[in-house]
Amino acid sequence: MKDEKEILPRDELKENIVLAWVQLSAILKNNRITSGLAYNEAVVMLLLYHEYKKTKQAVLPLSKIIGETKMLKSLANRTISSLEAKGLVVKEASASDKRTVLVRALPNSAPQFLQVHRRSLELADEICNIIGEEDALAFIRIAQKISANPPREAP
């Protein structure tokens, strides 16, 4: 790849984005940050954890989990069922709208999730050490921008 400050032709820029994406994906895939939980289980638990940090309630509508994760409804239901079988969450009907399914993290789920989450934080710390705080903040900004405006799926 060329120096990042150099302006690249659009086709070369696209090729470099794909290459960087593949390289980063390989690194993240090989650094198993979800040991003890399947990846999708860890993602659901992370959403519930962040909801708890915001509201002191570790509960989210299933529809919000599906929207945030972009999981198919069937995959989200399998993931939640697996977490239920592990005793980490329960599904319940909303008191205000019986059509709404809520997913609630059980209090005993915190230690297991936090152990998995600690590994994620260690990996994030390693990344910060490699790229520095300024680039880490830029990475967060860029990732959030892409997440807010996801590319269309390839046909």
Side-chain angles (χ1 to χ4, degrees):
M1 280 198 284
K2 295 183 180 183
D3 180 18
E4 64 187 53
K5 296 194 189 311
E6 186 178 332
I7 304 295
L8 298 175
R10 185 68 169 198
D11 285 345
E12 192 173 343
L13 180 65
K14 293 187 297 188
E15 290 289 345
N16 284 340
I17 287 172
V18 170
L19 182 59
W21 185 328
V22 168
Q23 291 168 335
L24 182 59
S25 295
I27 290 168
L28 293 176
K29 182 179 179 184
N30 288 326
N31 280 286
R32 298 279 309 173
I33 61 173
T34 63
S35 137
L37 291 175
Y39 176 79
N40 287 333
E41 293 171 346
V43 169
V44 168
M45 294 303 294
L46 179 66
L47 292 175
L48 291 167
Y49 173 69
H50 279 274
E51 184 65 18
Y52 177 79
K53 285 175 62 176
K54 275 194 311 196
T55 68
K56 299 299 181 213
Q57 296 284 321
V59 60
L60 285 171
L62 179 58
S63 59
K64 182 163 185 170
I65 292 170
I66 291 169
E68 290 284 324
T69 62
K70 310 296 188 254
M71 280 188 221
L72 295 175
K73 187 176 181 181
S74 58
L75 177 58
N77 277 313
R78 281 194 310 271
T79 302
I80 302 304
S81 293
S82 178
L83 288 168
E84 280 184 301
K86 292 178 179 182
L88 300 177
V89 303
V90 291
K91 281 194 290 192
E92 53 193 46
S94 167
S96 60
D97 182 355
K98 298 294 182 198
R99 297 169 298 172
T100 301
V101 175
L102 300 175
V103 179
R104 179 180 307 278
L106 296 172
N108 66 324
S109 67
Q112 184 176 354
F113 169 72
L114 290 175
Q115 180 180 358
V116 170
H117 189 53
R118 226 178 337 272
R119 176 63 188 123
S120 299
L121 295 176
E122 289 168 2
L123 181 59
D125 190 49
E126 288 179 43
I127 291 169
C128 286
N129 290 337
I130 293 167
I131 66 175
E133 188 173 322
E134 186 177 326
D135 283 347
L137 291 170
F139 176 80
I140 293 165
R141 181 182 52 74
I142 291 166
Q144 288 173 337
K145 188 174 188 176
I146 293 169
S147 295
N149 304 285
R152 293 184 322 273
E153 285 190 31

